[in-house]
Amino acid sequence: MNWQAIVDFDGTISREDTTDRVLQRFAEPGWEEIEADWVAGKIGSRECMARQVALLHASPDVFDTFVSSLAIDWGFAAFVRLCQRAGIPVTVVSDGLDRTIHALLGRAGLSGLTVVANHIEPLPGDRWRLTSPHADPSGGCTSGTCKCRVASSLSRPLTLLVGDGRSDFCVAGQADLVFAKKSLIAHCRENGIGHRPFNTFSEAVGLLETLLSETTTEPAAPARKDMING
């Protein structure tokens, strides 16, 4: 099987933006103004999140306890199992927080998945620091995690992107097929990007089963680019 799957976390695997939930619970006032600057295009997501994480006040135990209460789409486990049976490696690639992602994937029994995300670490005094080991060193991409760079570093010739929003826009243009939800659907429609819309991972499992049945009888890459659903 020539496919590899890149899956976003916040709003895709998780039912809501877990970073926003963490900020709402633990950040000092001012994080929303920083968010507004990012939405307005004044700063990139890497700068935005680094400044926001610096406003957090929580001990690691309190942080982890709160994170464990956040919800994910439990259908993701079935999606992963289908990928594994088909020989499709799954990489979770996120512009969110690695500690949160690892905790929630572990709760779902998926701790063995590769995770590429920003790194958050505790500091003395219940403070936190963000680093972005997967950022674009050239500075051309202002995201904390450059998903295009990650995608190009993986080994399979065909990439399936599963995502939901703004952090997926750039890499969607490089992927051979996109499973899209929320604002990523509109982006794909507006830019002529081959995609299949979904709302839950139970639907994504059905889409993947269809893709696998199609690719057993026909070459996948050229055809996928021309397929725009929804």
Side-chain angles (χ1 to χ4, degrees):
M1 178 58 63
N2 290 323
W3 287 93
Q4 61 193 11
I6 292 178
V7 187
D8 174 60
F9 186 78
D10 283 301
T12 302
I13 297 172
S14 67
R15 293 194 175 275
E16 53 194 330
D17 191 308
T18 59
T19 303
D20 282 353
R21 288 295 310 278
V22 166
L23 292 168
Q24 290 164 0
R25 177 65 181 83
F26 298 120
E28 298 172 352
W31 74 268
E32 291 172 304
E33 287 77 7
I34 298 170
E35 187 87 1
D37 284 346
W38 170 67
V39 171
K42 296 179 181 179
I43 59 174
S45 69
R46 177 171 36 173
E47 179 181 349
C48 174
M49 292 192 62
R51 289 168 57 187
Q52 289 176 323
V53 165
L55 297 177
L56 294 176
H57 273 285
S59 69
D61 287 347
V62 170
F63 183 99
D64 293 341
T65 298
F66 175 76
V67 164
S68 69
S69 70
L70 302 178
I72 66 168
D73 183 339
W74 290 100
F76 178 59
F79 180 85
V80 171
R81 289 193 296 269
L82 178 57
C83 285
Q84 291 171 338
R85 291 196 298 271
I88 300 174
V90 177
T91 306
V92 177
V93 185
S94 171
D95 209 18
L97 308 176
D98 60 353
R99 189 182 186 102
T100 300
I101 297 168
H102 282 296
L104 291 174
L105 291 180
R107 197 181 83 192
L110 298 170
S111 57
L113 289 180
T114 300
V115 174
V116 179
N118 295 295
H119 178 60
I120 185 173
E121 57 184 318
L123 300 174
D126 293 347
R127 306 308 296 259
W128 296 81
R129 173 173 60 199
L130 185 86
T131 56
S132 298
H134 307 287
D136 179 2
S138 73
C141 173
T142 60
S143 296
T145 299
C146 179
K147 294 188 177 183
C148 291
R149 183 168 176 258
V150 173
S152 66
S153 72
L154 300 177
S155 59
R156 296 295 179 90
L158 300 176
T159 295
L160 168 65
L161 170 68
V162 185
D164 81 309
R166 188 167 171 177
S167 71
D168 304 303
F169 287 0
C170 183
V171 70
Q174 297 185 9
D176 297 282
L177 181 62
V178 180
F179 289 178
K181 59 191 293 192
K182 300 177 183 175
S183 63
L184 185 57
I185 295 175
H187 174 80
C188 289
R189 287 173 176 165
E190 291 166 3
N191 292 276
I193 296 171
H195 70 285
R196 298 178 181 179
F198 76 104
N199 291 309
T200 67
F201 267 101
S202 62
E203 295 175 11
V205 167
L207 293 176
L208 181 57
E209 288 173 338
T210 299
L211 175 63
L212 293 174
S213 66
E214 291 172 351
T215 55
T216 59
T217 57
E218 62 180 79
R224 300 286 73 75
K225 281 296 186 182
D226 296 332
M227 184 175 297
I228 303 176
N229 292 346

